[in-house]
Amino acid sequence: MQVQDQAIVGIHYTLKNDAGETLDSSDGGDPLQFLQGAGGIIKGLETALDGKEVGDKLDVVIEPEEGYGVHREELVQEVPRSAFAGVDDIQVGMTFQAQTDNGPVPIQVAGVSDETVTVDGNHPLAGERLHFAVSIEEVREATQQEIDHGHAH
Ligand code: ZN
């Protein structure tokens, strides 16, 4: 069976950035399982996997637009330290949940001064070109329940 919409796909993968550093990998664990066509993985990877079969190995380079998005400067904001009342030691790299009209959004501390904290609401991999090495371990038809839920069981 080929990878197609409404198939459950299992892959092993290694993700590197442009500098060749490994950002993420399924090595040593179970394959990553997802329902193809349901947006469970980034769009560029779904597109590259379409039509492939168990045993296929592929190297995929994905531009930010098809990955975690471009880095949007308007998502970087300086807020008063008082917004972090109750947090004693604010450091660059810490992550928080910001409450927004669209629900909680993860933000990362990008800078700290005496008066302000610079927060970045971009995905940590926004703006990165992604290099995936993928091997396809499993392709099967999804159950009706998996299709209804939009994810693999
Ligand atoms: Zn479910």
Side-chain angles (χ1 to χ4, degrees), residues 65-87:
E65 292 82 358
E66 298 278 292
Y68 292 101
V70 295
H71 191 270
R72 292 165 55 199
E73 209 47 53
E74 67 268 26
L75 295 180
V76 180
Q77 292 180 359
E78 232 179 1
V79 299
R81 261 192 110 110
S82 57
F84 290 85
V87 185

Side-chain angles (χ1 to χ4, degrees), residues 15 17-18 23 42 62-73 75-76 106 108 120-130:
L15 169 61
N17 61 13
D18 264 348
L23 303 175
I42 57 173
I62 297 173
E63 298 297 326
E65 292 82 358
E66 298 278 292
Y68 292 101
V70 295
H71 191 270
R72 292 165 55 199
E73 209 47 53
L75 295 180
V76 180
Q108 189 163 28
D120 188 345
N122 286 284
H123 188 283
L125 295 178
E128 292 270 13
R129 186 181 292 116
L130 308 172

Side-chain angles (χ1 to χ4, degrees), residues 8-141:
I8 299 295
V9 184
I11 60 170
H12 273 305
Y13 68 95
T14 298
L15 169 61
K16 294 182 178 180
N17 61 13
D18 264 348
E21 297 161 335
T22 300
L23 303 175
D24 193 12
S25 174
S26 63
D27 259 10
D30 290 330
L32 171 71
Q33 266 196 337
F34 56 90
L35 176 64
Q36 174 78 354
I41 61 168
I42 57 173
K43 188 166 178 285
L45 198 50
E46 273 197 348
T47 304
L49 292 171
D50 219 35
K52 300 294 189 290
E53 297 176 2
V54 170
D56 284 352
K57 295 185 194 312
L58 54 159
D59 293 308
V60 190
V61 179
I62 297 173
E63 298 297 326
E65 292 82 358
E66 298 278 292
Y68 292 101
V70 295
H71 191 270
R72 292 165 55 199
E73 209 47 53
E74 67 268 26
L75 295 180
V76 180
Q77 292 180 359
E78 232 179 1
V79 299
R81 261 192 110 110
S82 57
F84 290 85
V87 185
D88 291 336
D89 188 19
I90 302 172
Q91 292 184 356
V92 172
M94 290 173 83
T95 55
F96 293 89
Q97 297 284 333
Q99 301 304 326
T100 73
D101 293 342
N102 299 319
V105 172
I107 56 167
Q108 189 163 28
V109 175
V112 183
S113 74
D114 287 344
E115 302 291 323
T116 64
V117 176
T118 304
V119 295
D120 188 345
N122 286 284
H123 188 283
L125 295 178
E128 292 270 13
R129 186 181 292 116
L130 308 172
H131 300 255
F132 278 95
V134 179
S135 66
I136 300 179
E137 306 293 325
E138 177 188 12
V139 183
R140 64 167 170 83
E141 284 182 37

Side-chain angles (χ1 to χ4, degrees), residues 145-146 148-153:
Q145 196 186 36
E146 286 172 322
D148 291 346
H149 287 196
H151 56 232
H153 283 165

